[in-house]
Amino acid sequence: MKFKLFFINIWLFILTACIPIRVIPKYNPDTYNGYKLIQGYQKADTVGHTDVLRRESDILACGVRNLREGSLDLNTQYPDMTDSQVWPRHKKIDNCMKNKGYIIIGKEDCTNKGKPTGLCN
């Protein structure tokens, strides 16, 4: 009986040890390195050195309601909005920022394996 219980414990240990193996490939270092979406909005003539305070005021003027510490609310549906208004609002904000002289750099260009590339501040 003890021998059978021993193998059951070993089998359970092996099963539970396999769970982290499935999680590790999903790890994305860019998610945990402090990168914020607002960093991707860069002035075309000062890429990597964009005035942070000016960028925040510009993006608020373009329609962002909550900066969320830099992660923005571009895809948030507020109570006074319908579901079909979320994506057009996002595009309107992006277009407004482009009209103010900003370019939008994607997360994949702002970071490389969890380390900043220097393109986004």
Side-chain angles (χ1 to χ4, degrees):
M1 181 65 178
K2 286 185 179 184
F3 192 69
K4 186 176 182 182
L5 188 59
F6 175 76
F7 278 111
I8 290 173
N9 284 334
I10 294 294
W11 180 250
L12 288 174
F13 177 78
I14 291 171
L15 284 178
T16 58
C18 292
I19 292 171
I21 293 171
R22 291 188 307 221
V23 174
I24 292 171
K26 294 178 184 177
Y27 171 73
N28 182 353
D30 294 333
T31 304
Y32 304 104
N33 70 353
Y35 168 80
K36 301 292 182 189
L37 186 61
I38 196 169
Q39 292 174 292
Y41 291 89
Q42 295 287 313
K43 278 284 195 182
D45 54 344
T46 59
V47 173
H49 303 285
T50 299
D51 182 356
V52 177
L53 297 176
R54 175 65 188 220
R55 178 177 57 206
E56 285 181 3
S57 67
D58 285 344
I59 205 156
L60 287 170
C62 283
V64 168
R65 297 184 188 182
N66 186 347
L67 292 175
R68 291 186 174 170
E69 298 177 1
S71 63
L72 307 179
D73 68 350
L74 298 177
N75 296 320
T76 302
Q77 180 180 350
Y78 287 101
D80 62 334
M81 296 170 60
T82 64
D83 190 37
S84 62
Q85 292 174 314
V86 175
W87 182 246
R89 175 179 170 265
H90 184 156
K91 296 310 290 174
K92 180 182 161 210
I93 292 168
D94 282 350
N95 289 334
C96 176
M97 290 298 281
K98 287 177 184 175
N99 290 337
K100 289 181 180 273
Y102 289 88
I103 59 173
I104 303 169
I105 301 172
K107 179 172 81 169
E108 59 280 351
D109 293 323
C110 288
T111 59
N112 182 15
K113 296 183 181 176
K115 295 186 174 126
T117 60
L119 272 178
C120 307
N121 65 323

